[in-house]
Amino acid sequence: MLSVAVIGAGRIGQIHAANLAARAAETNDVRLAGICDAVEVSAATLATRLGAPVISLDEALEGKGSNAVLIASPTDTHSDFIERAAKAGKAIFCEKPVDMSAQRIEGVLEVVEAAGVPLFIGFNRRFDPNFASLRARIADGRIGEVELVTILSRDPSPPPVSYIERSGGLFRDMMIHDFDMARFLLGDEPVEVHAVGSALVDPEIGKAGDVDTAAVLLKTARGKICQISNSRRATYGYDQRVEVHGSLGLLRAGNQHETTVELATASGFTADPVQNFFLERYAQAYRLQLAAFIDCARGTTLPSPSGHDGLMAQRLADAATLSAQSGQPVRL
Amino acid sequence: MLSVAVIGAGRIGQIHAANLAARAAETNDVRLAGICDAVEVSAATLATRLGAPVISLDEALEGKGSNAVLIASPTDTHSDFIERAAKAGKAIFCEKPVDMSAQRIEGVLEVVEAAGVPLFIGFNRRFDPNFASLRARIADGRIGEVELVTILSRDPSPPPVSYIERSGGLFRDMMIHDFDMARFLLGDEPVEVHAVGSALVDPEIGKAGDVDTAAVLLKTARGKICQISNSRRATYGYDQRVEVHGSLGLLRAGNQHETTVELATASGFTADPVQNFFLERYAQAYRLQLAAFIDCARGTTLPSPSGHDGLMAQRLADAATLSAQSGQPVRL
Amino acid sequence: MLSVAVIGAGRIGQIHAANLAARAAETNDVRLAGICDAVEVSAATLATRLGAPVISLDEALEGKGSNAVLIASPTDTHSDFIERAAKAGKAIFCEKPVDMSAQRIEGVLEVVEAAGVPLFIGFNRRFDPNFASLRARIADGRIGEVELVTILSRDPSPPPVSYIERSGGLFRDMMIHDFDMARFLLGDEPVEVHAVGSALVDPEIGKAGDVDTAAVLLKTARGKICQISNSRRATYGYDQRVEVHGSLGLLRAGNQHETTVELATASGFTADPVQNFFLERYAQAYRLQLAAFIDCARGTTLPSPSGHDGLMAQRLADAATLSAQSGQPVRL
Amino acid sequence: MLSVAVIGAGRIGQIHAANLAARAAETNDVRLAGICDAVEVSAATLATRLGAPVISLDEALEGKGSNAVLIASPTDTHSDFIERAAKAGKAIFCEKPVDMSAQRIEGVLEVVEAAGVPLFIGFNRRFDPNFASLRARIADGRIGEVELVTILSRDPSPPPVSYIERSGGLFRDMMIHDFDMARFLLGDEPVEVHAVGSALVDPEIGKAGDVDTAAVLLKTARGKICQISNSRRATYGYDQRVEVHGSLGLLRAGNQHETTVELATASGFTADPVQNFFLERYAQAYRLQLAAFIDCARGTTLPSPSGHDGLMAQRLADAATLSAQSGQPVRL
């Protein structure tokens, strides 16, 4: 039986641990081996709620009590934890990003490869039923050849400047999801990155050296084009849209509104704001992502998104950061 | 060349006359022979604007200066005018309703038939591109057999009570359009009418013996069902919708909004109110209706909607009025 | 702690039992006391999956091991089971309908009242987040006074004729949900019922004495109007829509599509079929309904929908059945 | 009275001339002075249809028979014709683009300024009721400060390669409309242009040195961002969309579908393709554009879009062309 230790009892760790517990209750083929967190009370609270033990970091990464680990700790711990777990022979789920340094990721991937364990990266949006279905239809040939991809992401509101200062910047912290989505949809590796960014939402973000509004152009080896845009603030909710223009047609996937209710008055026809925020919008994606990890941890499937996907998204984020700063496109 | 006299320079007469003038300018195959109105200054104003002569009623109905007449005068003049024009051999377009008395309509139709002239009734909604396209798709078999039709009509606001008092009541004045639409879509004659109505919008309408909110069930000879509902007031505009459930699928046609603009804020996603009122919503329908009348006046097509269609709608309106008053269904 | 026995391990019983187990895992304030079913293997399979005991019917209805019972057995058992559980002092959740005989329901309600236990009826649609939100907005005065309600329900495909023969007919088996929804939205009791029905989908249904396509008009004491229509077959999925026209505006709640993906080609813009069938469409409604029952079982809230709601819906269904058969409206 | 000579009786000249004739019939305050075309039979056919005289180019540009000229001849004639008409004191409407050379446009603008006549450039999309309304709402402050503009344009199918070869390329021929729309919506001049393009639709277009799929990033002086994308082929019609993200919300304007009819079957819910092509999609825009020109020709308003707008759009098109070729952003 797959037995999974969870490292990190924060917002995202709680989601994964609860999904693991629910899955265990439902199918009896996987168990939540334990929870650890640098803040012990966080681990204890979550463990109590889910009826699971608190375990040590060493136990989570190297102990005999589990054969898989789910890493949802702070980003700067990911690389070390992956390497330790890999050497201990565990199947590994790691939240994105693997590391802020693409070079460091390369090193991690070597260790993982040497260990021969599966490494699965938490790009949750691939598992959103809408985006997953859209991609399946591309694969089915419904729009022929992909030519032009448009990805729009808007967060409801910016994180605190203190967070932004250590986030690696918008391209690495927020747009990295879109870079992965671009690769997921394009079916061809981007080789050229043009990025522009501005601090329009909050000048403090600009003072911290980052941007809050940005757009990127990608061009792939075969000439396919992708445009991505981000804003750190959308008054109407968490905006997550994708559209793909192909030789035979267009596929797009839109937002999920809070309800289907519509109110018509002299002011017009008003639909609900969109689901807000990622915990709600991607609730089902997190469950499906976990199921995919379980499959790969059991060896049924190869990890996807893989460590390599994590590396490629990071390289695109680095390139976009450089491009926005230099005002020049960056070739990969 | 088709030469059309227009009787009535009110709101709807102006529409028809202007469409005739525009058609004349565009194609040179039809002319506006003249305009007459019981209020001379109304005729004169419209005639001047369109560069057409004012003519007498006798000239319009029986004169040599035209071979067709478009009757847009008050309802209580329709029957007489149709009979006179028919005896004079003219092709006739008459606004709905032909007459408030179905019996009187039967007499008119006999006169028209004896004269052998085409009589075309102004049920404009049949020519709305949306409804016309919907019906064409039914005819193409896109939804198989029609089983259940739903028609929703809402006016933006009720007419003055003084108008309502001489209107014949909601079922004859407003819902008559929906009765024609029901027949247009069902493809089978209704044989049973259940109607309910209330004065919920304005108690003065109730005091005047009418209703402002009403719904009707029709059942046809072959068991097809149609539900119609009306309200004399909709804060969000002129609501005109149709949907047809068939053995192979559903067809529906909706409202036209003022623009395609949508505003998203924390309050939600707001689209424009719907086009308001019939002059705007059915502007294109009036042009296409005129073209259809011209075709039938020339003998290219049979009149549709015909005088018989006018009679059948009136019978349904009468039946609904009786049903709402008696609380009993009426068989036809 | 609330301890709930489940009677019935069929399709709907499985839903409720699984939701109970999940709720127990999540909050620890309720437990699944056991499962019983006339078919023992069904009870055993479900019990094993959820880690709950199989119990006898006597134990479920009268035993000390539970203080609440959830009745999801065949309709003809509901009345007896409710009475037995009521006399045993248990909080009761019963699937709709309470009984095919309104008179019998009246007797059951007397027993329940005498026992002083809460009786909660499973009209799941009230808990659909869309419909619940729509109603909350009516209560908030967003559209002023309710005047005209339109409810459209279509099943994907008819049940077997063998089921239909013992179902009590479309009005009692299918439209009963819409009657409850009508009462939920109108805020005024219907006093007049006009119904028409036809067997258009399958002539065998007609031979069995039932209809598969039907429409109803309700008029309330204060003159509000409601139109309901049903079809036993919709090629495009499980169609569930409601719209409410009020003095200040319109509220409507629509279907949930399988995904938000849209495909545009020369054939047009195609969105997904709607969710199909009720287990999917109302998955969240079932969870929220259970939470509402738990609140009422604990005495926090009064049961809603109550046994009285079950009775009133049944009376409307009886009236509609009679009206469709007699061709006359029925007053209540 | 305003008297307008039309130069060019091709597809777009016919639209303008017919709109002028219709306006003349409707309001009597403007007249179509005559039509000229290098191909005499074209001029004659159109003149006959509209009841207007054929006139010579000299008469159109410098004659006493008109006080305004509408230039719809081939692009390479625009500059000369504008200069001649300006010197003759006429109000001038000229189709876009003014000239393929921005430098030449500068010279033309000097001549126009010296002559003191109004020059109005035919960027028709500004007059589309959807886009015009969207911009009016920006001006009303409905979304606060504009931050991020997204413009998507797709043509139904590429023009012949022979046309492309002399078109100046996609950025000057097709995207120029989007550059004008970007300036119309941004409210701030772009200072940086990144462009990428590929020949994905038709390799022959690539061989001709052009692209058929392209995307551009613009950054304005104040850091606002605009992304534009174009494709020369969309199977589902003429796709014309705009969305503007601001500090207080989002405004977007979408396509107009052929009808509002929707078909639901087991394949899903299918709406019509979008209106196709510009003559249909922008029919109302052309009429409103003409009305705006008439106002400016009479001196009621200043020309907008002006010759300066024509120049700025051309400069952006030149910059994008250069950027796509060089792989480097271009600063303005």
Side-chain angles (χ1 to χ4, degrees), chain B residues 147 152 154 194 197-198 215 217 219 223 227 229 231 233 235-236 241 243 245 247-249 252 327-329 331, chain C residues 147 152 154 194 197-198 215 217 219 223 227 229 231 233 235 241 243 245 247-249 252 327-329 331:
Chain B
E147 295 170 352
L152 289 93
R154 318 271 186 257
H194 294 250
S198 297
L217 281 181
K219 192 170 176 179
Q227 50 183 355
S229 61
S231 170
R233 180 254 298 111
T235 57
Y236 53 90
R241 285 175 283 158
E243 85 174 54
H245 183 94
S247 55
L248 301 180
R252 59 184 172 197
Q328 296 297 323
R331 268 88 197 172
Chain C
E147 293 170 354
L152 289 93
R154 316 272 185 256
H194 294 250
S198 297
L217 281 181
K219 193 171 177 179
Q227 51 183 357
S229 62
S231 170
R233 179 256 298 111
T235 57
R241 286 176 283 157
E243 88 173 52
H245 183 92
S247 54
L248 301 180
R252 60 183 170 197
Q328 296 297 321
R331 268 87 196 172

Side-chain angles (χ1 to χ4, degrees), chain D residues 11 54 63 71 75 79 84 93 117 120 195 197 258 270 277 301:
Chain D
R11 194 164 52 168
V54 172
I71 301 171
T75 296
S79 290
R84 286 181 62 189
F93 175 107
V117 296
F120 185 104
E258 288 170 8
T270 303
F277 189 21
T301 57

Side-chain angles (χ1 to χ4, degrees), chain A residues 118-149:
Chain A
L119 170 61
F120 185 104
I121 305 299
F123 284 119
N124 56 297
R125 294 184 195 175
R126 292 192 180 205
F127 300 93
D128 174 73
N130 307 300
F131 299 148
S133 171
L134 187 151
R135 187 182 188 248
R137 299 182 208 197
I138 294 174
D140 284 351
R142 302 292 287 272
I143 57 166
E145 284 296 310
V146 169
E147 294 171 352
L148 185 48
V149 172

Side-chain angles (χ1 to χ4, degrees), chain D residues 197-254:
Chain D
S198 297
L200 301 175
V201 173
D202 184 353
E204 292 303 312
I205 292 174
K207 285 181 197 160
D210 198 7
V211 296
D212 50 39
T213 305
V216 162
L217 281 180
L218 303 177
K219 194 171 177 179
T220 74
R222 280 183 275 155
K224 298 172 195 290
I225 295 170
C226 175
Q227 52 184 354
I228 300 171
S229 61
N230 278 186
S231 170
R232 286 281 196 186
R233 181 255 298 111
T235 56
Y236 53 91
Y238 183 45
D239 192 359
Q240 300 277 293
R241 284 176 285 157
V242 151
E243 85 173 56
V244 184
H245 183 93
S247 55
L248 301 180
L250 172 81
L251 277 168
R252 59 183 170 196

Side-chain angles (χ1 to χ4, degrees), chain A:
Chain A
M1 187 193 289
L2 193 69
S3 181
V4 186
V6 171
I7 303 175
R11 194 163 53 168
I12 192 70
Q14 288 173 36
I15 293 292
H16 292 309
N19 283 339
L20 262 170
R23 164 86 183 215
E26 189 187 337
T27 65
N28 228 20
D29 64 352
V30 61
R31 63 183 277 277
L32 173 56
I35 293 164
C36 84
D37 193 286
V39 182
E40 256 179 68
V41 67
S42 299
T45 303
L46 181 58
T48 302
R49 174 155 81 85
L50 299 174
V54 172
I55 57 176
S56 69
L57 181 63
D58 289 349
E59 172 59 29
L61 290 173
E62 291 152 356
K64 300 289 183 204
S66 63
N67 45 19
V69 63
L70 192 156
I71 302 172
S73 49
T75 296
D76 57 9
T77 65
H78 289 179
S79 290
D80 290 343
F81 290 0
I82 291 172
E83 290 181 347
R84 288 180 61 189
K87 287 171 184 162
K90 292 184 193 292
I92 305 164
F93 176 108
C94 185
E95 268 301 318
K96 68 90 212 168
V98 177
D99 199 282
M100 281 301 173
S101 156
Q103 207 177 346
R104 180 75 180 87
I105 299 177
E106 290 168 14
V108 169
L109 298 191
E110 282 171 23
V111 172
V112 168
E113 191 173 11
V117 295
L119 170 61
F120 185 104
I121 305 299
F123 284 119
N124 56 297
R125 294 184 195 175
R126 292 192 180 205
F127 300 93
D128 174 73
N130 307 300
F131 299 148
S133 171
L134 187 151
R135 187 182 188 248
R137 299 182 208 197
I138 294 174
D140 284 351
R142 302 292 287 272
I143 57 166
E145 284 296 310
V146 169
E147 294 171 352
L148 185 48
V149 172
T150 302
I151 302 173
L152 289 94
S153 297
R154 318 272 186 257
D155 279 355
S157 54
V161 172
S162 59
Y163 171 90
I164 281 179
E165 281 166 346
R166 53 188 172 72
S167 71
L170 178 143
F171 298 103
R172 291 189 186 97
D173 178 60
M174 178 177 174
M175 201 181 281
I176 192 163
H177 280 290
D178 305 302
F179 289 126
D180 183 64
M181 184 57 65
R183 293 182 62 250
F184 186 59
L185 298 174
L186 282 165
D188 194 30
E189 288 296 340
V191 295
E192 186 180 320
V193 181
H194 294 251
V196 299
S198 297
L200 300 175
V201 173
D202 183 352
E204 293 302 314
I205 292 174
K207 285 181 197 161
D210 198 6
V211 297
D212 50 39
T213 306
V216 162
L217 281 181
L218 304 176
K219 194 171 175 178
T220 74
R222 281 183 275 154
K224 300 172 193 289
I225 295 170
C226 175
Q227 51 183 357
I228 301 171
S229 62
N230 278 186
S231 171
R232 285 283 197 185
R233 179 255 298 113
T235 57
Y236 52 91
Y238 182 46
D239 192 359
Q240 300 278 294
R241 285 176 284 158
V242 151
E243 86 173 53
V244 184
H245 184 93
S247 54
L248 301 180
L250 172 81
L251 276 168
R252 59 183 171 196
N255 289 302
Q256 297 180 168
H257 292 258
E258 289 171 6
T259 71
T260 63
V261 178
E262 205 177 356
L263 172 67
T265 67
S267 307
F269 287 68
T270 302
D272 280 358
V274 293
Q275 287 181 344
N276 184 9
F277 191 21
F278 61 91
L279 296 183
E280 184 182 5
R281 172 66 170 87
Y282 290 117
Q284 200 174 347
Y286 287 120
R287 286 191 288 269
L288 295 168
Q289 179 182 245
L290 183 67
F293 169 63
I294 291 170
D295 285 346
C296 105
R298 283 193 185 125
T300 314
T301 58
L302 290 176
S304 175
S306 67
H308 177 71
D309 292 318
L311 173 63
M312 296 307 281
Q314 197 67 25
R315 282 183 181 156
L316 287 170
D318 289 346
T321 305
L322 179 59
S323 173
Q325 285 165 354
S326 69
Q328 295 297 323
V330 173
R331 268 85 195 173
L332 290 169

Side-chain angles (χ1 to χ4, degrees), chain C residues 42-67:
Chain C
S42 299
T45 304
L46 180 59
T48 303
R49 174 155 79 86
L50 299 173
V54 172
I55 59 177
S56 69
L57 180 63
D58 290 349
E59 172 59 28
L61 289 173
E62 291 153 357
K64 301 290 182 201
S66 63
N67 46 18

